[in-house]
Amino acid sequence: MRDFRILRGRTLEEKTGIRSWALDALRGFAILTMILSGRISWGNLPGWMYHAQIPPPAHKFDPTLPGITWVDLVFPFFLFAMGAAFPLALSKKIKDGKVSTDLIIQIFKRGVLLSFFAIAIQHLRPHVMSKSPDAATYLIALLGFGLLFLIFWRFPSSISKNTGLILRSAGWVGIAVLLLVTYPDGSGFKMSRFDIIIAVLANVSVAGSLIWLFTRENILVRLGIMAIILAIRLSHNSDAGFIKDLASLQPSGWVVNVNFLKYLFVVIPGTIAGDIIVKMMRTDTSVISGTFSEYKTKALWLMLFMAGFILLSLVTLYNRWVW
């Protein structure tokens, strides 16, 4: 069996020409399938084309329905890819093995921006602004998208710093004005009105990044954190106890919600995969090619087994074929 020869002294920055195509493919597949699952027409397709708990024809949420469908997997795929990206992105920013305060601030800043995006995008959805959206409603939504683009766009070097500041400020002011509209229920802007998917990403982005940063040298500690989260998850619905008391302190309807941390069960294993990818990216390319040539048949069978296992799980769980 070949040993991976790590290129000592080589930093990840020196290997930026190499991308993890597998991670890119998984992330792209997750995004495409999320878009597809959100665009499927309702009421005229088999039940396995929708979330298992929102079956046709009524498509009303029923948590008592068991099973999963392919639609229930696309978001976990994205979360796993997100976790795998943490080691790749954050390794480049760790200098001399030390985590800087600036890096911690960047992580929280990303979380705040994602939380803002979750709130803003939900307020600007046409069907949220009006029960019967018309042309004006859709134009406002498009204007809001353009303003968000100004806020989040990384301006190219051809745009001066002052011009970029003016454009970004215009985006913030414009969004603030748009969020003053009155909604069908008579309310205005509400912090509790947010996109649940983006809100989850905001929470696990901060928590997952910090967990990886401070456990990057010890996978067992990372797994221990998963065990603690599992224990809390299993006990938080109990009739009494300090876990229930602590859970009651969490205000309902907040975009920052500790309940969302259950998704770390997908993100943390993703960080372990990301560690493996980083190690591969720091390895001599010739060693990788030789190792793959030696084990490509086994890798192919492993790939087929994993794909078959996912398909088998989907079919059997959806149909309740439990042995």
Side-chain angles (χ1 to χ4, degrees):
M1 181 175 180
R2 293 179 183 271
D3 293 327
F4 277 88
R5 296 196 299 273
I6 306 300
L7 301 185
R8 304 297 180 186
R10 295 284 298 271
T11 63
L12 202 57
E13 291 90 336
E14 296 172 3
K15 303 275 287 182
T16 52
I18 301 176
R19 291 190 61 87
S20 174
W21 290 355
L23 181 57
D24 287 342
L26 177 61
R27 188 159 33 194
F29 176 78
I31 293 172
L32 287 174
T33 48
M34 278 195 288
I35 294 172
L36 174 62
S37 64
R39 296 295 90 195
I40 293 175
S41 62
W42 283 26
N44 55 2
L45 292 173
W48 53 266
M49 287 295 292
Y50 310 95
H51 286 290
Q53 288 70 43
I54 313 179
H59 292 290
K60 292 183 178 180
F61 179 68
D62 184 359
T64 63
L65 292 176
I68 61 174
T69 69
W70 68 270
V71 181
D72 299 297
L73 292 181
V74 294
F75 186 50
F77 284 167
F78 187 83
L79 288 173
F80 185 87
M82 181 186 195
F86 289 155
L88 279 75
L90 298 177
S91 293
K92 304 174 185 178
K93 300 178 181 180
I94 298 175
K95 305 299 182 184
D96 300 322
K98 297 181 180 179
V99 178
S100 66
T101 304
D102 289 341
L103 180 54
I104 302 296
I105 293 174
Q106 288 178 24
I107 290 172
F108 279 100
K109 180 181 177 182
R110 185 190 304 115
V112 170
L113 287 174
L114 278 172
S115 298
F116 161 75
F117 183 71
I119 295 171
I121 199 68
Q122 187 68 13
H123 280 77
L124 295 172
R125 294 188 190 279
H127 68 274
V128 174
M129 290 189 288
S130 173
K131 292 182 178 179
S132 301
D134 54 15
T137 308
Y138 286 104
L139 285 175
I140 293 174
L142 288 173
L143 175 61
F145 178 81
L147 293 170
L148 288 173
F149 185 79
L150 292 178
I151 293 173
F152 290 98
W153 184 27
R154 291 184 180 180
F155 297 107
S157 57
S158 58
I159 295 179
S160 67
K161 185 176 180 179
N162 289 336
T163 301
L165 180 61
I166 292 172
L167 291 174
R168 202 176 303 280
S169 299
W172 282 106
V173 172
I175 285 294
V177 172
L178 287 182
L179 295 182
L180 296 177
V181 302
T182 302
Y183 292 84
D185 60 358
S187 66
F189 173 81
K190 292 195 300 186
M191 290 289 290
S192 59
R193 183 184 288 123
F194 55 81
D195 181 277
I196 184 69
I197 299 297
I198 307 300
V200 169
L201 294 178
N203 282 262
V204 299
S205 171
V206 174
S209 296
L210 293 177
I211 288 172
W212 180 83
L213 275 179
F214 295 105
T215 65
R216 63 188 186 277
E217 302 295 340
N218 196 328
I219 290 179
L220 288 179
V221 174
R222 231 177 295 173
L223 296 177
I225 292 173
M226 288 182 64
I228 293 173
I229 296 173
L230 176 61
I232 294 173
R233 181 67 183 168
L234 292 176
S235 59
H236 85 288
N237 286 327
S238 59
D239 295 332
F242 75 95
I243 296 296
K244 183 177 178 61
D245 295 336
L246 290 175
S248 65
L249 299 177
Q250 167 69 50
S252 61
W254 278 30
V255 68
V256 178
N257 194 318
V258 294
N259 186 49
F260 294 155
L261 298 184
K262 60 189 177 186
Y263 294 98
L264 289 172
F265 281 111
V266 181
V267 175
I268 291 178
T271 63
I272 297 174
D275 287 335
I276 297 172
I277 293 173
V278 169
K279 181 178 180 181
M280 179 198 71
M281 295 176 70
R282 288 173 171 166
T283 304
D284 191 314
T285 307
S286 62
V287 175
I288 296 175
S289 299
T291 304
F292 180 75
S293 298
E294 184 176 341
Y295 293 103
K296 63 180 179 181
T297 302
K298 293 181 180 179
L300 177 60
W301 281 110
L302 179 61
M303 180 188 70
L304 292 175
F305 170 78
M306 294 173 65
F309 181 78
I310 292 174
L311 181 61
L312 179 66
S313 299
L314 282 175
V315 174
T316 54
L317 288 173
Y318 180 75
N319 292 285
R320 306 312 296 161
W321 296 342
V322 181
W323 294 283

